[in-house]
């Protein structure tokens, strides 16, 4: 199994033990995808982590976009904006950086 | 996520490719691990005596399922199916020809279960089940979306889907499972849906949705959860709660229910329409998932069970629910298990009923009003989802599964065009992501397999400026939003049928003062179905 | 109805591949007509007049042979079909070809076999009465190959003949919502688990 900053990740790059997460891991994961984490990235990552803590699951895309729009301005409340931050999808890539499990299903 | 393959070019005419042996050889999708295997009752890792276990399992399947035995025996290698699979057309790997895919399984069957194969294996192409064969099984039976297109063209109706389900069942029995399917199934039979969406999160998501619709339309459309005594229990794929563009379809269902004024509910215990038990061929697990719906229906005391836009869910519901869990009609009086539920369900309606059947019926009875011009910015075509097209019916009329969705779409939009005849209806090309293949580690075969559908779409884009693709399957919608951009389409062109309904439907505004319109309410146009 | 169209017209095959359909259908229809004509070798006593009607069926032998040659040609020439063919697939075609050609040779060349003698032999077979056979080579080849064919029938792909009638995707009725179909093993399983299920109903919410 591969490791990032000493934490085990699965074949898809998601943390095996979610409690391993720290900011360095997120930065390191983003580097692997040629992304430098900006303030805007962190806004999303922090929201994902908060939501996960409350509900034990990642938010639906619609919930995420609405929440981001409410908190950080309407122009950011759409999936195009989120995709510009996370080209592989806010759900999958965003969750990975945030140390959440990969969303599964017909999505 | 291998990116080192070429996205197929879209030809002007769909041609049968020259064979390229081994282009899709490989290790297959990520394998399941003990954590996901054990809850389903499968060994956590490849067992030591796997050959023995596998052959015994094959024997069991042969005796349990007439389909498996007849399909394995009846093939005469006429070759009619060889150019019918979208994965062969898109990848050119000969092992993706339906008969060659079946032969991976059939050659072992012949070796162990037929006279000729036991004594003259070379002569009849019978082979031993060795490591290389097992690896080929894992790889190539996960390049089949069980779409059944080949079976339409086979003179004996041989259905590769059945063979690939059997092969996956044998693989699971020896401890080799697919991560994507088995991880999801674990969540589906414990939490109640494929996402692992727990009740509080679901409730919150639905509240959010209600808020959004009220903001947009001024109408308080409700999304009831676990409401005992409701008339209709809606079972919809959990992607409808979670993903784009699915959720706009869910908004559409809610608006239709609201306009009809019927009481309805969803269940947090059975919050999934999809049933991946079918993909892995397991009757037991498919039944476990279906029994959650039975229990929800009994507990919530509903009189109708309805299914949202999901392809294989509708196959399982339409063809198997009655058998698996008694959701249906016509059980024998002595059949207590089924009668318990069937006495509760309202026999005036088909049980289960598809949401398209429901909306279609309301349209025919002039219960819904539409402003078709709301969809005038679109030119629409419809993708027949494989499981709906080739394994189910709607409306109880021949070919209803093709007619009803088209009539619903035409009732809500003015510009509709069909794709090439040989790529729709019973000959429809799979989206490329069905049958448990909708996972990133299978992206190469998903893209290649999408080529035939994309080719037909490109044609109507050229000739009729089609810019909207409608599907009634959660997998199709997700798959298309991923592969469309690879073929230079707009990923947002894929929508739910009920998204179009949602955009055109005219909602009755509540009778309050502040509805004193900023926008004058247009004259309501009542559309009847052609 | 669906089944009848399938068996008589090969409807699905027509939809999928016109050439395979043409050759396959020619062969099968040819074979059927020729077989009907062969009834006269088994008919006890004098032939009723109806057999005059089937007399022209002898030309069906050509259809049968042409069909077989076409199928063989495809199996060799088309890359995809060559890929899926096992030796037995070719052998079966060769066997049928030898039978067809040797039969046609008897009927259409001057090497006529003594059909009365054949008839005595064939009728004798029905009553386990072994009569003498003509000894022309092509006849012996013909009848020997037919015996081979009959011998391998139950263990070869010729089983597609009864198989087609059992195919679930062709013979099942579309009534799953109106009628509960449950197989005996599934019913047994359901009964065994019923008790446990009832215990959990309505509990864990």
């Amino acid at each position: 199994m591969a490791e990032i900053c000493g934490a085990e990740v699965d074949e898809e790059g998601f943390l095996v033990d979610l409690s391993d997460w720290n900011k360095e891991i997120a930065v390191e994961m983003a580097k692997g995808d040629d992304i430098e984490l900006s303030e805007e990235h962190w806004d999303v990552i922090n929201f994902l982590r908060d939501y996960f803590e409350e509900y034990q699951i990642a938010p639906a895309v619609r919930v995420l976009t609405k929440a981001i729009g409410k908190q950080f301005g309407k122009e950011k409340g759409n999936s195009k904006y989120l995709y510009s931050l996370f080209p592989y999808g806010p759900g999958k890539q965003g969750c990975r950086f945030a140390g959440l499990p990969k969303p599964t299903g017909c999505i | 996520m291998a990116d080192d393959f070429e996205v197929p070019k879209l030809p002007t005419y769909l041609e049968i490719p020259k064979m390229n042996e081994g282009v899709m050889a490989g290790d297959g999708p990520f394998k399941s691990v003990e954590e996901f295997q054990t809850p389903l009752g499968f060994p956590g890792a490849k067992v030591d005596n796997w050959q023995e276990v596998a052959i015994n399992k094959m024997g069991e399947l042969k005796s349990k399922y007439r389909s498996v035995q007849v399909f394995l025996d009846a093939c005469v290698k006429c070759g009619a199916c060889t150019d019918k699979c979208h994965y062969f057309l898109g990848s050119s790997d000969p092992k993706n020809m339906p008969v060659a895919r079946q032969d991976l399984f059939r050659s072992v069957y012949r070796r162990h279960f037929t006279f000729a194969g036991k004594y003259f294996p070379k002569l009849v192409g019978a082979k031993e089940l060795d490591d290389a064969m097992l690896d080929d099984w894992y790889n190539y039976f996960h390049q089949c979306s069980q779409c059944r297109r080949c079976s339409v063209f086979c003179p004996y109706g041989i259905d590769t889907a059945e063979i690939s389900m059997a092969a996956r069942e044998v693989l699971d029995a020896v401890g080799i499972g697919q991560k994507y399917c088995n991880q999801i199934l674990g969540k589906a039979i414990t939490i109640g849906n494929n996402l692992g969406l727990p009740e509080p999160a679901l409730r919150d998501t639905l509240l959010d949705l209600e808020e959004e619709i009220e903001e947009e339309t001024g109408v308080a459309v409700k999304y009831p959860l676990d409401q005992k005594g409701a008339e209709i229990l809606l079972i919809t794929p959990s992607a409808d709660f979670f993903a784009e563009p699915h959720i706009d379809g869910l908004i559409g269902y809610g608006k239709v229910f609201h306009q009809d004024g019927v009481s309805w509910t969803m269940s947090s215990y059975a919050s999934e329409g999809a049933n991946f038990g079918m993909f892995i061929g397991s009757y037991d697990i498919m039944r476990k998932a279906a029994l959650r719906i039975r229990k929800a229906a009994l507990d919530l005391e509903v009189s109708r069970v309805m299914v949202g836009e999901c392809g294989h869910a509708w196959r399982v519901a339409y063809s198997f629910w009655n058998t698996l869990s008694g959701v249906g009609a016509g059980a024998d009086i002595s059949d207590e298990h089924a009668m318990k539920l069937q006495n509760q369900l309202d026999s005036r309606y088909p049980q289960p009923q598809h949401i398209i059947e429901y909306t279609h019926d309301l349209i025919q009875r002039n219960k819904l009003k539409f402003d078709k011009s709301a969809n005038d910015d679109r030119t629409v075509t419809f993708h027949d989802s494989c499981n709906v097209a080739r394994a189910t019916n709607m409306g109880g009329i021949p070919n209803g599964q093709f007619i009803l969705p088209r009539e619903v779409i035409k009732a809500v939009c003015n510009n509709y065009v069909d794709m090439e005849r040989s790529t729709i209806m019973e000959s429809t090309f799979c989206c490329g992501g069905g049958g448990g293949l909708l996972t990133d580690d299978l992206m190469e075969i998903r893209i290649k397999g999408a080529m035939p559908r994309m080719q037909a779409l490109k044609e109507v884009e050229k000739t009729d400026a089609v810019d909207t693709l409608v599907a009634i399957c959660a997998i199709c919608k997700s798959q298309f939003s991923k592969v469309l951009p690879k073929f230079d389409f707009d990923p947002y062109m894929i929508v739910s049928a009920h998204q179009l309904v949602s955009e055109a439907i005219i909602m009755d505004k509540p009778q309050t003062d502040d509805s004193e319109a900023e926008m004058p309410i247009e004259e309501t146009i009542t559309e009847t179905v052609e | 109805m669906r089944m009848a169209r399938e068996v008589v017209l090969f409807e699905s095959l027509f939809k999928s591949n016109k050439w395979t359909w043409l050759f396959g259908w020619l062969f099968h229809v040819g074979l059927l007509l020729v077989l009907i004509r062969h009834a006269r070798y088994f008919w006890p006593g004098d032939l009723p007049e109806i057999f005059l009607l089937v007399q022209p069926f002898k030309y069906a032998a050509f259809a049968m042979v042409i069909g077989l040659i076409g199928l063989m040609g495809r199996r060799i020439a088309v890359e995809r079909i060559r890929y899926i063919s096992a030796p037995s697939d070719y052998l079966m075609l060769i066997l049928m070809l030898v039978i067809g050609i040797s039969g046609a040779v008897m009927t259409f060349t001057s090497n006529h076999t003594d059909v009365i003698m054949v008839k005595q032999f064939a009728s004798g077979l029905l009553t386990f009465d072994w009569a003498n056979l003509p000894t022309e080579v092509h006849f012996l080849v013909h009848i020997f190959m037919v015996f081979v064919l009959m011998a391998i029938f139950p263990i070869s792909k010729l089983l597609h003949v009864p198989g087609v009638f059992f195919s679930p995707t062709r013979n099942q009725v579309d009534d799953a919502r109106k009628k509960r179909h449950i197989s005996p093993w599934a019913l047994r399983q359901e009964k065994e688990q019923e008790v446990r299920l009832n215990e959990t109903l309505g509990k864990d919410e």
Side-chain angles (χ1 to χ4, degrees), chain B residues 4-16:
Chain B
D4 52 344
F5 61 90
E6 253 180 69
V7 175
K9 297 237 158 38
L10 293 183
T12 319
Y13 297 101
L14 202 55
E15 280 166 1
I16 304 165

Side-chain angles (χ1 to χ4, degrees), chain B residues 77-154:
Chain B
K77 313 290 174 79
C78 73
C81 61
T82 53
D83 55 350
K84 301 299 181 275
C85 177
H86 51 293
Y87 292 119
F88 174 67
L89 294 172
S91 76
S92 75
D93 188 319
K95 284 182 182 161
N96 277 329
M97 301 190 296
V99 50
R101 192 187 316 281
Q102 295 161 20
D103 274 351
L104 295 172
F105 197 75
R106 183 179 286 119
S107 56
V108 175
Y109 167 82
R110 285 201 170 154
R111 184 76 183 90
H112 288 273
F113 296 96
T114 68
F115 178 86
K118 272 182 195 157
Y119 298 101
F120 311 101
K122 285 243 165 66
L123 189 69
V124 295
K127 287 185 190 139
E128 199 44 77
L129 181 58
D130 52 18
D131 283 289
M133 179 63 87
L134 198 74
D135 291 346
D136 257 4
W137 279 17
Y138 187 73
N139 185 34
Y140 286 102
F141 285 115
H142 288 102
Q143 295 185 23
C144 167
S145 58
Q146 308 176 338
C147 81
R148 314 179 85 219
R149 187 170 195 264
C150 48
S151 79
V152 170
F153 297 96
C154 173

Side-chain angles (χ1 to χ4, degrees), chain B residues 295-529:
Chain B
K295 179 167 146 49
L298 287 168
D299 288 348
L300 296 172
E301 295 168 6
V302 296
S303 58
R304 302 167 69 179
V305 183
M306 199 171 288
V307 181
E309 294 184 12
C310 178
H312 78 280
W314 184 234
R315 178 179 191 192
V316 175
Y318 179 88
S319 301
F320 307 139
W321 269 2
N322 203 350
T323 300
L324 292 167
S325 63
V327 178
D332 199 77
I333 305 269
S334 63
D335 183 349
E336 283 173 37
H337 180 79
M339 282 313 280
K340 183 170 180 185
L341 183 57
Q342 297 193 353
N343 283 336
Q344 179 190 317
L345 297 177
D346 189 338
S347 59
R348 289 172 304 170
Y349 299 97
Q351 306 284 0
Q353 190 176 25
H354 196 283
I355 186 86
I356 289 280
E357 290 181 307
Y358 171 71
T359 302
H360 182 261
D361 176 59
L362 292 177
I363 293 172
Q364 290 215 311
R365 292 193 285 122
N366 280 325
K367 287 269 220 166
L368 303 177
K369 296 177 189 120
F370 299 110
D371 171 15
K372 281 171 111 173
S373 66
N375 285 313
D376 271 355
D377 54 336
R378 302 176 180 277
T379 303
V380 179
T381 192
F382 179 65
H383 164 77
D384 288 281
S385 298
C386 54
N387 271 300
V388 175
R390 286 186 282 261
T392 70
N393 182 267
M394 284 182 196
I397 51 170
N399 295 325
Q401 74 273 34
F402 311 130
I403 299 166
L404 267 61
R406 284 177 173 76
E407 286 192 347
V408 168
I409 295 169
K410 286 177 189 168
V412 299
C413 79
N414 286 312
N415 316 316
Y416 179 82
V417 191
D418 260 324
M419 286 179 277
E420 218 280 305
R421 181 62 183 84
S422 63
T423 73
I424 56 169
M425 302 199 186
E426 82 276 5
S427 307
T428 186
F429 276 115
C430 165
C431 63
L437 270 53
L438 192 76
T439 173
D440 290 344
D441 39 327
L442 287 171
M443 197 49 92
E444 178 175 359
I445 194 71
R446 282 170 59 187
I447 290 174
K448 290 181 172 175
M451 187 275 278
R453 169 47 75 228
M454 293 293 109
Q455 193 271 335
L457 183 62
K458 197 55 110 186
E459 277 311 296
V460 288
E461 186 193 54
K462 275 187 218 153
T463 56
D464 300 279
V466 164
D467 58 7
T468 300
L469 177 63
V470 177
I472 49 169
C473 166
I475 288 178
C476 295
K477 293 171 203 169
S478 295
Q479 157 78 353
F480 283 137
S481 58
K482 282 277 158 52
V483 300
L484 280 167
K486 309 274 180 197
F487 295 91
D488 296 324
F489 291 104
D490 175 8
Y492 298 100
M493 76 182 287
I494 171 73
V495 300
S496 305
H498 275 81
Q499 177 173 343
L500 296 185
V501 173
S502 164
E503 275 160 29
I505 196 166
I506 297 170
M507 305 290 287
D508 296 331
K509 306 271 171 175
Q511 301 294 319
T512 51
D513 292 87
D514 55 60
S515 76
E516 209 176 311
E518 293 161 20
M519 281 178 289
I521 299 171
E522 292 164 40
E523 267 180 58
T524 51
I525 313 156
T526 312
E527 292 297 343
T528 43
V529 184

Side-chain angles (χ1 to χ4, degrees), chain B residues 66 76-77 82 84 123 151 153-154 156-157 269 284 287 295 318 322-323 329-330 335 337 352 357, chain C residues 16 75 79-80 88 157 160 166-167 169-170 174 176-181 189-190 193-194 202 205:
Chain B
R66 171 168 58 113
V76 296
K77 313 290 174 79
T82 53
K84 301 299 181 275
L123 189 69
S151 79
F153 297 96
C154 173
Y156 311 105
Y269 175 77
D284 289 345
R287 182 159 175 269
K295 179 167 146 49
Y318 179 88
N322 203 350
T323 300
D335 183 349
H337 180 79
E357 290 181 307
Chain C
S16 48
R75 203 169 275 291
E79 179 192 42
R80 302 190 311 279
S88 58
K157 70 174 189 178
H160 72 273
F166 291 98
S167 178
T169 49
R170 294 291 180 265
D174 178 19
R177 277 197 289 193
K178 296 189 208 102
K179 189 164 174 286
R180 188 165 199 241
H181 303 269
Q189 187 181 337
E190 185 176 289
Q193 293 172 2
E194 188 73 20
E205 270 195 4

Side-chain angles (χ1 to χ4, degrees), chain B residues 23-54:
Chain B
V23 273
M24 291 310 295
D27 299 331
F30 295 138
K31 288 189 178 135
S32 179
V33 290
E34 200 171 350
E35 181 193 350
F36 308 131
Q37 290 285 89
T38 321
L40 303 182
F42 301 136
K46 190 169 168 184
V47 295
D48 290 333
N49 60 337
W50 62 270
Q51 271 156 315
E52 192 189 331
V53 174

Side-chain angles (χ1 to χ4, degrees), chain C residues 21 53 71 101:
Chain C
W21 175 81
L53 283 177
L71 289 175
I101 292 173

